[in-house]
Amino acid sequence: MEIKIEHLEKEYKNHFKALNDVNLTITDGMFGLLGPNGAGKSTLMRILVTLLKPSGGKVYVNGKELSENRKEVRSMLGYLPQDFRFFVKLKTWEFLDYAASMAGMTNKKERLKAVDEMLESVGLFDVRNRYANKLSGGMKRRLGIAQALIGDPKIIIVDEPTTGLDPEERIRFRNILSNLSQKEVIIILSTHIVGDISSTCNKMALLNEGSVHFEGGPEEFVRLADGHVFRTHVLADEMKNINERYPVVSSVPDEMGYEVELVADKLDGLKGEVITPNLEHAYVYFMEYMAKKEGATV
Ligand code: ADP
């Protein structure tokens, strides 16, 4: 599978430009689309699932242009929107059965088997007879995932999937997706939560103000912050000043004040040791220093 996005633009009716010359190539595996709120992630996702028309540019799915092959592409898609809700009063299994028929599963026996298996794999089998709107927040989210995954979609698009989930649910969700990423499918995970872009993402992009600022492997992204993350000790009464001067990633009280991890282009007069960056450090470094440099693209 391959999705090729070429010179994609989206200008909303109020002339707000939400996407600006977006170019991306997405192949099998998990692709993480990271960016702050308002970056244009949902706009891009909605274009990919054919709910929104771009103002310019093209999307190709396995070489076929999206707007000319909407029906065919839709049949390959599973989508979990950011604001997934149930509009109909159905039991959990009925809702999934409905989603399965919408995904093209016409054989009732096969469909019911697939529904049971899916309920089992997202941990909702025990509540299958409960009305979907009576499920807990986390369970609703899981049902959202289940409806996106049923019918063996070749392209799975999940928009901010872990928002509102507790840590346990979040891990469970990541595991479901990473198991799937072993198959020959494309999974696009859009998120503003750095922790969602785990090592299971073989590729990622950083979207900021409608433009792609980085495209590559997560480890490559982390390397951008090499030499820019520091550990230092700060006296209690200096802490305010440090917070004003640098993005502080963590601060832990110690005997003198605080042990601080911070991100900086360079340490001006402050003593500190360079530490190995992680993905969160790299994101903070990128947003605070690189994205602000005009036209920064890596
Ligand atoms: P994200 O998913 O990264 O938070 P969105 O794609 O939802 O970003 O939004 C990108 C930008 O486009 C935001 O500034 C948002 O306010 C704006 N936007 C989204 N939908 C519309 C719309 N229908 N009309 C005008 N502006 C919109």
Side-chain angles (χ1 to χ4, degrees):
M1 297 294 297
E2 184 194 67
I3 301 176
K4 220 169 167 52
I5 299 170
E6 289 185 351
H7 307 296
L8 203 67
E9 308 267 340
K10 178 66 195 179
E11 185 173 317
Y12 282 111
K13 282 204 185 81
N14 62 359
H15 302 302
F16 182 81
K17 205 146 190 211
L19 295 177
N20 197 3
D21 196 22
V22 169
N23 295 282
L24 287 171
T25 301
I26 303 172
T27 48
D28 284 353
M30 181 126 62
F31 183 91
L33 182 69
L34 181 65
N37 281 326
K41 303 182 296 298
S42 289
T43 303
L44 178 57
M45 302 293 97
R46 287 168 60 81
I47 291 174
L48 294 183
V49 299
T50 74
L51 286 174
L52 198 64
K53 280 196 178 137
S55 328
K58 297 248 186 281
V59 177
Y60 298 91
V61 178
N62 287 346
K64 291 188 172 166
E65 207 274 314
L66 184 63
S67 64
E68 287 162 15
N69 297 278
R70 284 178 57 166
K71 213 169 159 206
E72 194 184 334
V73 174
R74 274 200 170 188
S75 71
M76 295 185 221
L77 273 177
Y79 176 47
L80 173 62
Q82 190 173 2
D83 55 353
F84 175 69
R85 285 187 216 119
F86 318 94
F87 296 104
V88 276
K89 199 176 173 205
L90 290 176
K91 289 182 178 166
T92 299
W93 78 265
E94 288 171 332
F95 180 82
L96 208 48
D97 185 48
Y98 170 74
S101 4
M102 294 304 284
M105 299 188 77
T106 43
N107 181 310
K108 193 169 177 193
K109 209 170 146 207
E110 280 174 20
R111 200 169 69 227
L112 290 178
K113 187 166 171 272
V115 166
D116 277 358
E117 282 171 6
M118 187 55 75
L119 286 168
E120 200 63 77
S121 78
V122 296
L124 290 177
F125 192 76
D126 292 346
V127 292
R128 64 193 179 280
N129 286 317
R130 198 182 291 177
Y131 280 104
N133 58 354
K134 296 273 188 272
L135 296 174
S136 73
M139 286 175 174
K140 279 184 187 154
R141 216 63 204 141
R142 276 191 259 152
L143 183 55
I145 295 156
Q147 64 78 34
L149 300 185
I150 200 137
D152 274 332
K154 297 286 169 258
I155 302 170
I156 299 158
I157 296 184
V158 288
D159 198 357
E160 299 280 355
T162 66
T163 308
L165 293 188
D166 60 34
E168 212 174 298
E169 295 266 4
R170 198 166 277 184
I171 291 166
R172 180 187 194 122
F173 178 73
R174 283 182 199 153
N175 288 341
I176 292 174
L177 285 190
S178 66
N179 285 342
L180 270 171
S181 66
Q182 317 300 327
K183 293 189 189 170
E184 282 178 9
V185 294
I186 288 179
I187 304 171
I188 304 177
L189 171 83
S190 126
T191 184
H192 70 281
I193 298 167
V194 181
D196 284 344
I197 309 285
S198 61
S199 48
T200 43
C201 284
N202 48 354
K203 212 172 153 196
M204 63 171 281
L206 192 125
L207 195 68
N208 187 35
E209 294 179 351
S211 301
V212 175
H213 287 249
F214 171 87
E215 186 186 0
E219 47 322 304
E220 216 180 310
F221 185 64
V222 170
R223 278 203 298 274
L224 294 178
D226 264 345
H228 298 291
V229 188
F230 303 89
R231 183 178 296 134
T232 181
H233 295 273
V234 176
L235 296 172
D237 56 0
E238 284 173 4
M239 198 57 214
K240 186 165 173 277
N241 176 272
I242 293 294
N243 268 316
E244 280 164 7
R245 282 172 59 197
Y246 303 100
V248 169
V249 194
S250 75
S251 61
V252 181
D254 62 11
E255 42 320 332
M256 301 288 282
Y258 295 92
E259 183 186 272
V260 171
E261 281 177 20
L262 55 81
V263 171
D265 241 352
K266 54 182 187 312
L267 280 187
D268 301 313
L270 196 72
K271 279 205 180 107
E273 53 167 331
V274 173
I275 60 171
T276 309
N278 61 29
L279 204 61
E280 192 178 2
H281 295 140
Y283 182 62
V284 174
Y285 176 66
F286 196 92
M287 294 308 294
E288 292 288 333
Y289 293 97
M290 301 189 75
K292 286 177 188 163
K293 288 177 191 158
E294 211 170 321
T297 305
V298 191

